[in-house]
């Protein structure tokens, strides 16, 4: 790979290298996409994506705007179902079950594969009720809602900051605290996978650092997939990284997202197999 020191800050991959240094490192696959094509009406937004996500890993999806990263992310828990005209071809297996199977409950899929959005979106309720909302509406059997709320907020590294104001409005929290609240709200319904769509793009550097540190902690219990435009963030947090780009139709100009390369983060950034990946991460493209 060419020297790109003038194009971007150096990247460090200590967390990924430490996990992949062992010859027997082979975590099980949790989500497996096989030849996935995603359409909005007649427009093909993403084509031919085959991609596996592994237990207790963080996977980053990177690439230029319009390359289908968020579209792929939303397909992993059927969030695209909420968009009129959207459809998915191919298979997305979650623990060996096709989440788009005709008898699969999309609501249950979204409980087990939670989503944290780009901008914090707390409900117009108290901090406590934000966390309790999911368990209540899904009918979860909870021995103590107070304990569940505390546990979720603790896992989201927010408990110590809010434990004395649980009945106050969630809108009184800072942006970074609101995003951690949304993560806690996702955790409260006991998912296996957490999807994050640019969760730090609206946050300042200090709040971003807290979210990134939190992701490292959550990886011990959950599988995490994150979309990010920040390549340094991908390098800091992700065990593996997938690079997407967009191909333009010569006739219509429509841009369709394609997966170019997927590998351990350190290898993808330091020794990319595809010239398009190198061009993107060196700043010559996108």
């Amino acid at each position: 790979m060419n020297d790109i020191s003038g194009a971007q800050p150096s990247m460090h991959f200590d967390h990924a290298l430490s996990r992949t240094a062992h010859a027997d490192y082979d975590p099980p696959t949790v989500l497996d996409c096989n030849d996935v094509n995603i359409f909005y009406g007649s427009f093909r937004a993403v084509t031919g994506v085959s991609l596996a996500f592994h237990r207790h890993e963080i996977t980053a999806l990177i690439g230029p705007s319009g390359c289908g990263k968020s579209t792929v992310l939303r397909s992993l828990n059927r969030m695209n179902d909420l968009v009129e005209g959207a459809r998915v071809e191919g298979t997305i297996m979650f623990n060996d079950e096709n989440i788009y199977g005709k008898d699969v409950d999309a609501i249950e899929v979204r409980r087990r594969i939670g989503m944290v959005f780009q901008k914090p979106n707390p409900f117009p309720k108290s901090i406590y009720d934000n966390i309790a909302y999911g368990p209540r509406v899904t009918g979860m059997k909870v021995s103590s809602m107070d304990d569940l709320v505390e546990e979720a907020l603790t896992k989201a590294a927010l408990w110590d900051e809010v434990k004395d104001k649980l009945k106050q409005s969630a809108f009184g929290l800072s942006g970074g605290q609101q995003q951690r609240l949304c993560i806690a709200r996702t955790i409260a319904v006991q998912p296996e996978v957490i999807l994050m769509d640019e969760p730090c793009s609206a946050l300042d550097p200090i709040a971003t650092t807290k979210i990134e540190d939190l992701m490292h902690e959550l990886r011990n219990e959950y599988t995490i997939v994150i979309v990010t435009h920040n390549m340094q963030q991908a390098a800091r947090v992700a065990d593996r990284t997938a690079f997407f780009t967009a191909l333009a139709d010569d006739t219509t100009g429509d841009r369709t997202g394609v997966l170019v390369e997927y590998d351990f983060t350190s290898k993808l950034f330091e020794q990319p197999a595809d010239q398009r990946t190198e061009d993107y991460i060196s700043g010559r493209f996108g």
Side-chain angles (χ1 to χ4, degrees):
M1 179 175 175
N2 297 337
D3 179 13
I4 60 173
S5 58
Q8 62 181 16
S10 61
M11 297 183 183
H12 303 284
F13 311 92
D14 294 344
H15 74 281
L17 291 174
S18 65
R19 300 194 71 184
T20 59
H22 303 288
D24 60 351
Y25 180 76
D26 187 25
T29 297
V30 176
L31 277 165
D32 193 3
C33 303
N34 183 29
D35 195 24
V36 170
N37 302 277
I38 305 173
F39 296 82
Y40 296 111
S42 61
F43 169 60
R44 185 193 296 259
V46 174
T47 187
V49 172
S50 294
L51 185 58
F53 302 94
H54 301 275
R55 191 175 306 282
H56 301 313
E57 285 192 353
I58 301 173
T59 301
L61 310 183
I62 66 170
S65 296
C67 69
K69 305 182 300 296
S70 293
T71 295
V72 170
L73 189 78
R74 290 193 299 268
S75 74
L76 298 178
N77 73 342
R78 296 189 53 169
M79 195 64 70
N80 285 338
D81 289 9
L82 305 176
V83 179
E84 186 175 357
R87 74 180 191 279
V88 174
E89 295 180 352
T91 59
I92 300 179
M93 308 299 290
F94 174 51
N95 294 333
D96 299 322
E97 182 176 14
N98 184 6
I99 66 171
Y100 286 90
K102 63 179 182 179
D103 297 324
V104 173
D105 181 356
I107 301 300
E108 178 64 11
V109 169
R110 294 184 199 121
R111 184 194 69 77
R112 297 174 65 188
I113 307 174
M115 173 79 82
V116 176
F117 296 94
Q118 183 174 1
K119 294 182 179 180
N121 60 339
F123 299 146
K125 301 175 181 290
S126 69
I127 294 168
Y128 183 102
D129 286 337
N130 263 268
I131 306 303
Y133 180 83
R136 285 171 176 162
V137 299
T138 58
M140 277 179 55
K141 294 182 179 180
V142 177
S143 58
S144 169
M145 187 63 75
D146 290 350
D147 289 346
L148 184 145
V149 169
E150 179 176 350
E151 179 182 11
L153 289 169
T154 298
K155 287 182 177 180
L158 191 57
W159 173 252
D160 288 341
E161 298 171 42
V162 302
K163 61 184 178 182
D164 295 325
K165 47 185 178 182
L166 294 177
K167 298 304 181 183
Q168 295 180 20
S169 171
F171 292 147
L173 299 175
S174 69
Q177 288 175 323
Q178 287 186 14
Q179 192 64 298
R180 280 182 282 148
L181 178 72
C182 293
I183 293 172
R185 193 174 66 198
T186 298
I187 290 171
V189 294
Q190 301 176 351
E192 297 178 48
V193 180
I194 300 175
L195 311 177
M196 297 185 172
D197 193 357
E198 296 188 65
C200 302
S201 64
L203 305 181
D204 62 52
I206 293 175
T208 294
T209 297
K210 288 184 178 181
I211 296 292
E212 290 180 359
D213 289 344
L214 174 59
M215 281 191 274
H216 283 298
E217 293 296 321
L218 293 175
R219 178 182 60 181
N220 295 321
E221 293 190 48
Y222 309 96
T223 298
I224 298 174
V225 185
I226 176 175
V227 165
T228 179
H229 279 290
N230 185 327
M231 286 182 286
Q232 284 72 35
Q233 181 172 75
R236 288 191 298 264
V237 305
D239 298 283
R240 304 182 203 235
T241 296
F243 169 61
F244 290 78
T245 193
L247 302 179
D249 185 282
D250 292 338
T251 303
T252 65
D254 289 343
R255 292 162 58 84
T256 298
V258 296
L259 174 63
V260 174
E261 185 171 352
Y262 176 49
D263 212 326
F264 290 111
T265 298
S266 55
K267 186 174 185 299
L268 185 137
F269 277 97
E270 294 175 348
Q271 295 179 307
D274 193 292
Q275 184 64 43
R276 291 171 293 179
T277 309
E278 180 171 340
D279 289 346
Y280 180 75
I281 64 179
S282 64
R284 293 193 293 269
F285 162 75

